[in-house]
């Protein structure tokens, strides 16, 4: 095996000006004409930039890898620093562009680089070269806006190329070494540990309550051990690798991910994930919100009313529970609960509103597979009416042929569902917790639609795992970026397209500045809506320090006039204090909502306690009256006296039931009064938050 060089030319200084090279192997062939061997090209190296005298290694401009160094002895590629002396005379290929796109990269870093997620990235990748690569790849994935350019090509056209200069941008076009590095278990652990530590500064319980769900990985990856047993190219049932994500309930940010070999995520896989998170990160997943596919005996054996607390390694007691949708099949009291709730489905006593929909909600205690669980029955009235009306319009004849009982079921079935949980709380709280699990579905959707989370092809195991870690980080940052764009009220794609019209020009000198061209009106309005102003000139070093080291830069823009006088303009900007004020405001709102939910929960518990006490009192009265009747009947009374004893019992029974109904009505009034009081306290807290942390 040797490096074959063709059409190599040098100038008078000995610098290579043209020529191409490839890795070639001589193969013995007894039947070859003119000799016993022929040459076979193994790898194209592209244009020659520099090559050693013995032609054992050199620097080449590869079509797929960019500018890299190749060593024949080890058959490996290495990075080339932009200031490598062997590139003397050939620097044109590594020179940064003078004119680049400014608007998208600048606003991206302005919005996300002070977040807890970016702080975690900086802590997890202390080496500057690796940190630069992570930041560049994440930026590229978030703002490329479906551009067909590769990462290196995109960076060369962006002002970000002025900030990251530890490597040649062209090497990012095929960065398999980066993904192999990201596939290291220690890198994955370092990132999630840093993320948990930073997120708990704002959310002390981050990571304790999580959603767990999975999505299949494509089986095209022949070198991926998890799919080694798959029957590739067949339509039959095959063993498939799956990506399981663990998302924090409150923030929707991934706490962990795991790849495993299975067609479904069952309870055994769920237990493995929980053990993995516990052993690796030292945290317990106390809450799991799952869909109907995970409902089974194993799940209820761990999560039930009689097993809803545990003592952790620190000796502290924690509550644990799962929320899972009840499947409509044998073994579950789905039909039984429907028939029991049917008379009350449209009763105002069980009505509550959530997210623009009116719901019926009621809680029952049932035994499922021998374990006590709470069953929360719901009817989404709006969905039942909308979907039911649509079905009736499309199937009028079938609707007319239904019997009355079936019509009653078809009128509500599209909005009727039951949740199973081991935690006693109000139906509204349970529904909010479960409905929020849509965050994990949204994360999968964003990962596939916006960041190409799984183009795995024939990569190796380390690069596939590294690509998944990178895509998890990238999708997290993308969702954060999209959330920050709320004030502009437009799509991310359209927003980025507009901002890519704003260019800048690199200026020479010690100032290391770039001049920003005049923005069009739409771009200027977008910046103002987000709390920023387009600067006329930008100091690059402070911006790099902010991105790489988290040191906030002064974003007061430099105008042409102020640049000459050395003074700054007094313009409103999004300062660190402003960011902190917004954080405090959001934290206060969440605290007010937590207090409100606790008050509602207390009212619900008091209501249940009153009902339980009233029911026990009623049963005691009826039992006492029955005992007195039986005693009298055993005394050989006449028919008239027996009838009188029976009548006395019936009167006592009716009186006990009437008393129970009065207690029920009173308990309901108390619950409603406490709910109104809690709402008033909540509204007052919101008003106080707005007054204290409102727009300054």
């Amino acid at each position: 095996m040797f490096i074959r060089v063709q059409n190599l030319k040098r100038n008078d200084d000995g610098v290579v000006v043209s020529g191409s090279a490839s890795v070639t192997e001589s193969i013995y062939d007894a039947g070859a004409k003119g000799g016993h061997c022929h040459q076979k090209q193994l790898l194209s190296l592209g244009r020659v930039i520099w090559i050693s005298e013995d032609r054992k290694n050199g620097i080449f401009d590869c079509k797929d890898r960019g500018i890299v160094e190749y060593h024949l002895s080890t058959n490996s590629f290495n990075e080339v620093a932009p200031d490598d002396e062997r590139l003397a005379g050939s620097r044109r290929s590594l020179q940064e562009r003078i004119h680049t796109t400014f608007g998208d990269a600048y606003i991206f870093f302005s919005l996300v680089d002070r977040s807890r997620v970016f702080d975690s990235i900086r802590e997890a990748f202390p080496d500057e070269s690796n940190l630069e690569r992570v930041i560049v790849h994440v930026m590229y994935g978030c703002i490329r806006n479906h551009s067909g350019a590769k990462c290196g090509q995109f960076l060369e056209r962006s002002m970000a190329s002025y900030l990251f200069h530890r490597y040649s941008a062209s090497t990012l076009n095929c960065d398999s070494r980066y993904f192999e590095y990201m596939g290291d278990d220690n890198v994955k652990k370092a990132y999630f540990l840093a993320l948990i530590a930073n997120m708990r500064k704002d959310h002390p319980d981050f990571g304790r309550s999580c959603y767990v769900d999975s999505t299949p990985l494509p089986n095209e990856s022949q070198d991926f051990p998890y799919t080694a047993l798959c029957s590739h190219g067949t339509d039959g049932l095959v063993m498939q690798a799956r990506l399981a994500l663990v998302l924090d309930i409150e923030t929707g940010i991934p706490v962990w991910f795991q790849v495993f070999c299975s067609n479904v995520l069952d309870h055994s896989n769920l237990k493995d994930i929980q053990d993995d998170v516990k052993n690796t990160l030292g945290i317990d997943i106390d809450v799991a919100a799952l869909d109907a596919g995970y409902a089974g005996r194993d799940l209820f054996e761990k999560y039930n009313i009689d097993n809803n607390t545990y003592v952790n390694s620190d000796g502290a007691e924690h509550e644990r529970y799962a929320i899972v949708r009840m499947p409509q099949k044998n073994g579950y009291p789905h039909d039984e609960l429907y028939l029991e709730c049917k008379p009350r489905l449209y009763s105002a006593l069980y009505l509550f509103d959530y997210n623009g929909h009116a719901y019926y909600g009621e809680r029952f205690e049932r035994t499922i597979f021998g374990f006590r669980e709470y069953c929360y029955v719901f009817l989404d009235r709006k969905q039942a009416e909308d979907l039911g009306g649509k079905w009736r319009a499309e199937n009028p004849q079938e609707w007319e042929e239904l019997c009355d009982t079936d019509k009653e079921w078809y009128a509500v079935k599209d909005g009727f569902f039951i949740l199973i949980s081991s935690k006693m709380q109000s139906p509204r709280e349970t529904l909010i917790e479960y409905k929020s699990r849509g965050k994990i579905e949204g994360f999968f959707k964003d990962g596939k639609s916006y960041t190409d989370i799984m183009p795995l092809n024939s990569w190796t195991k380390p690069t596939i795992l590294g690509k998944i870690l990178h895509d998890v980080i990238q999708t997290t940052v993308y969702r954060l970026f999209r959330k920050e764009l709320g004030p502009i009220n437009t799509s991310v794609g359209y927003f980025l397209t507009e901002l890519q019209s704003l260019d800048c020009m690199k200026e020479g000198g010690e100032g290391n500045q770039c001049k920003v061209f005049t923005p069009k009106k739409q771009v200027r309005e977008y910046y103002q809506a987000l709390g920023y102003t387009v600067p006329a000139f930008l100091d690059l070093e402070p911006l790099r320090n902010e991105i790489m080291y988290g040191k906030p830069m002064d974003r007061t823009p430099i105008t042409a006039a102020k640049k000459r006088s050395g003074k700054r303009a007094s313009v409103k900007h999004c300062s660190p204090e402003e960011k902190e004020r917004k954080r405090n405001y959001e934290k206060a709102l969440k605290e007010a909502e937590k207090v409100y939910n606790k008050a509602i929960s207390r009212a619900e518990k008091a209501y249940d306690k009153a009902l339980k006490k009233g029911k026990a009192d009623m049963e005691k009265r009826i039992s006492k009256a029955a005992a007195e009747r039986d005693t009298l009947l055993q005394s050989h009374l006449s028919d008239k006296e027996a009838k009188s004893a029976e009548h006395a019992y019936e009167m006592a029974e009716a009186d006990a039931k009437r008393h129970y109904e009065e207690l029920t009505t009173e308990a309901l009034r108390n619950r409603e009064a406490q709910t109104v009081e809690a709402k008033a306290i909540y509204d007052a807290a919101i008003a106080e938050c707005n007054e204290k942390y409102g727009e300054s």
Side-chain angles (χ1 to χ4, degrees), residues 220-236:
E220 290 79 8
S221 306
Q222 300 285 352
D223 296 329
F224 197 30
Y226 295 101
T227 57
L229 300 178
C230 292
S231 301
H232 296 281
T234 67
D235 295 329

Side-chain angles (χ1 to χ4, degrees), residues 64-65 137 140 144 150-151 171-183 217-228 232 241 259 451-472 474:
D64 295 329
R65 298 176 182 271
H137 277 286
Y140 164 69
R144 63 173 176 169
K150 295 181 179 180
C151 183
T171 61
L172 297 170
N173 293 334
C174 181
D175 210 351
S176 57
R177 290 185 63 196
Y178 162 72
F179 293 118
E180 187 172 355
Y181 161 75
M182 294 287 283
L217 295 175
N219 282 346
E220 290 79 8
S221 306
Q222 300 285 352
D223 296 329
F224 197 30
Y226 295 101
T227 57
H232 296 281
V259 178
T451 61
D452 300 327
I453 197 167
M454 289 166 290
L456 304 179
N457 301 323
S458 58
W459 292 11
T460 61
K461 178 182 177 181
T463 53
I464 289 176
L465 295 178
K467 179 68 167 63
I468 293 174
L469 173 60
H470 164 78
D471 289 339
V472 167
Q474 178 175 297

Side-chain angles (χ1 to χ4, degrees), residues 234-285:
T234 67
D235 295 329
L237 182 64
V238 296
M239 185 66 74
Q240 187 165 32
R242 298 186 73 85
L243 168 65
L245 269 182
V246 181
L247 259 67
D248 178 69
I249 281 181
E250 185 178 359
T251 62
I253 292 177
V255 176
W256 189 250
F257 76 83
Q258 184 171 316
V259 178
F260 60 94
C261 186
S262 178
N263 286 323
V264 295
L265 175 63
D266 56 20
H267 179 262
S268 60
N269 300 128
L270 179 62
K271 185 178 183 303
D272 289 341
I273 294 169
Q274 291 175 325
D275 292 342
D276 195 12
V277 173
K278 171 66 176 175
N279 296 330
T280 308
L281 306 179
I283 62 175
D284 296 285
I285 299 178

Side-chain angles (χ1 to χ4, degrees), residues 28 37 80 135 277 341 424 526 544 586 596 657:
Y28 175 76
C37 67
V80 180
I135 292 176
V277 173
C341 298
M424 187 176 76
Y526 280 157
R544 174 180 166 81
E586 292 174 359
Y596 171 71
K657 288 183 178 179

Side-chain angles (χ1 to χ4, degrees), residues 42-53:
L42 303 178
L43 177 67
S44 175
L45 296 175
R47 187 169 67 87
V48 181
I49 295 179
W50 173 88
I51 192 166
S52 63
E53 293 296 329

Side-chain angles (χ1 to χ4, degrees), residues 417-637:
F417 60 97
I418 303 173
L419 301 179
I420 307 172
S421 176
S422 58
K423 182 181 181 182
M424 187 176 76
Q425 55 185 353
S426 69
R428 185 177 188 274
E429 290 174 313
T430 304
L431 181 67
I432 291 174
E433 269 195 297
Y434 185 79
K435 283 288 187 180
S436 298
R437 74 181 301 277
K439 293 176 183 177
I440 199 165
E441 301 296 341
F443 192 93
F444 281 133
K445 178 183 177 182
D446 289 340
K448 294 174 184 177
S449 302
Y450 297 100
T451 61
D452 300 327
I453 197 167
M454 289 166 290
L456 304 179
N457 301 323
S458 58
W459 292 11
T460 61
K461 178 182 177 181
T463 53
I464 289 176
L465 295 178
K467 179 68 167 63
I468 293 174
L469 173 60
H470 164 78
D471 289 339
V472 167
I473 297 174
Q474 178 175 297
T475 306
T476 304
V477 175
Y478 174 82
R479 288 165 68 85
L480 174 67
F481 175 58
R482 187 176 61 188
K483 182 180 178 181
E484 293 287 338
L485 295 182
I488 64 171
N489 195 27
T490 188
S491 68
V492 179
Y494 183 80
F495 170 77
L496 291 173
T497 300
E498 290 291 329
L499 261 62
Q500 285 166 358
S501 66
L502 178 59
D503 291 342
C504 67
M505 180 179 68
K506 178 73 177 292
E507 289 191 334
E510 298 179 358
N512 196 25
Q513 290 183 333
C514 68
K515 177 183 177 181
V516 183
F517 296 157
T518 303
K520 61 182 184 180
K521 180 182 178 181
Q522 186 65 56
V523 174
R524 187 168 61 251
E525 289 177 350
Y526 280 157
Y527 266 68
Q528 290 174 352
L530 295 171
Y532 296 90
T533 305
V534 180
F537 294 87
L538 179 70
D539 289 330
L540 297 173
E541 195 60 30
L543 180 58
R544 174 180 166 81
N545 290 337
E546 180 179 82
I547 298 170
M548 294 292 292
Y549 313 116
K551 300 177 181 178
M553 67 174 288
D554 182 5
R555 293 187 177 274
T556 307
I558 310 174
T559 63
K562 297 301 179 184
K563 178 174 179 285
R564 288 191 296 270
S565 62
K567 296 180 180 179
R568 300 281 184 174
S570 177
V571 181
K572 180 181 178 181
H573 60 93
C574 195
S575 64
E577 292 78 10
E578 183 73 7
K579 289 261 185 180
E580 188 65 25
R581 183 190 66 79
K582 290 182 179 179
R583 279 201 193 107
N584 290 335
Y585 179 64
E586 292 174 359
K587 192 173 181 180
L589 288 181
K590 288 178 181 177
E591 188 63 31
E593 186 172 357
K594 190 180 294 185
V595 171
Y596 171 71
N597 289 333
K598 283 184 178 180
I600 295 296
S601 180
R602 284 196 301 270
E604 193 73 25
K605 288 180 180 178
Y607 173 70
D608 292 335
K609 186 177 179 181
L611 289 186
K612 190 174 181 181
K613 183 179 178 182
K615 188 175 182 180
D617 181 60
M618 177 186 69
E619 291 173 350
K620 184 178 179 181
R621 286 186 175 195
I622 294 175
S623 177
K624 183 180 178 181
E628 292 176 353
R629 178 198 62 184
D630 294 342
T631 301
L632 290 173
L633 291 177
Q634 291 173 4
S635 303
H636 306 289
L637 302 174

